[in-house]
Amino acid sequence: MTRPTHLDESGAASMVDVGAKPATQRRAIAGGRIIMSPSALEAIRSGNAPKGDVLSTARIAGIMAAKRTADLIPLCHTLALSKVGVDFAWEDSGISVTATAQTTGPTGVEMEALTAASVALLTLYDMAKALDRAMIVGDIRLLEKSGGRSGDWRAE
C-alpha cells in the first residue's frame, strides 16, 4: 500500500516536493451552480440587484480567490497562474459558474479552479442575499484537467 502523498515518514502533514518534476502546461476547469428564486434571478439578470453588478463582482472575486488558493488550502503550492477565467450561464432556476485556471509548472491547478468557482458562487450569494436568503450553492466539482504526469481527465 502506498502512503498518502501529504504525509511524511512519521505521519505528519507535509507539502509534496515537486522540485524534481518537469514544468508542463496545465489547465483545470471546475464548475458549480447557485439555485435561487425567480425574482432574485430576474433582478440579477436585469441589473437591478441592490448591491450592483453581481456577475462582475463574482468574476473578480473568483479570479482573486484562485490567486490566493495556497493561502486558503493547507499544503497547496503557490502557483504562478498564467490565466484564470470565470464565466456564468443563466439556468432556469439559477446561475452556473465555470472557472478555468492555467499555469506552466510542476503541479496541477485543480484546486485553483475549484477555489475560483467556489468563491464566485459564494460572492453571488453575498451579492443577492437581500433578495433570497434561501439560495442553494452546490454541485461544485472538477469538470476537466489537462497536463501533468496523470494526463487528461474529463468528468462524465
Side-chain angles (χ1 to χ4, degrees):
M1 182 171 119
T2 57
R3 70 179 169 83
T5 58
H6 284 77
L7 299 179
D8 66 14
E9 295 76 27
S10 68
S14 173
M15 183 181 261
V16 174
D17 182 358
V18 296
K21 291 173 69 178
T24 61
Q25 287 189 317
R26 296 160 183 269
R27 184 178 87 147
I29 302 171
R33 65 183 25 88
I34 185 166
I35 298 168
M36 63 186 67
S37 67
S39 60
L41 187 60
E42 180 53 34
I44 294 169
R45 189 189 309 260
S46 66
N48 291 324
K51 290 189 176 182
D53 188 345
V54 174
L55 297 184
S56 291
T57 303
R59 178 175 287 112
I60 292 168
I63 292 168
M64 290 174 63
K67 293 167 44 175
R68 301 294 303 266
T69 299
D71 294 333
L72 301 169
I73 309 293
L75 309 179
C76 275
H77 293 84
T78 302
L79 300 180
L81 296 170
S82 56
K83 180 173 176 55
V84 177
V86 177
D87 296 306
F88 304 98
W90 300 107
E91 297 185 345
D92 290 340
S93 60
I95 302 169
S96 65
V97 173
T98 304
T100 304
Q102 294 177 194
T103 192
T104 299
T107 191
V109 290
E110 294 92 341
M111 293 311 301
E112 286 72 14
L114 285 161
T115 300
S118 299
V119 170
L121 287 162
L122 291 172
T123 302
L124 290 174
Y125 183 95
D126 181 55
M127 295 289 290
K129 67 187 176 201
L131 301 168
D132 180 5
R133 292 200 184 272
M135 291 178 285
I136 300 170
V137 172
D139 296 330
I140 300 167
R141 67 186 191 132
L142 182 66
L143 300 171
E144 183 178 327
K145 68 139 308 255
S146 63
R149 185 182 62 204
S150 64
D152 297 350
W153 179 86
R154 175 173 265 155
E156 296 181 10

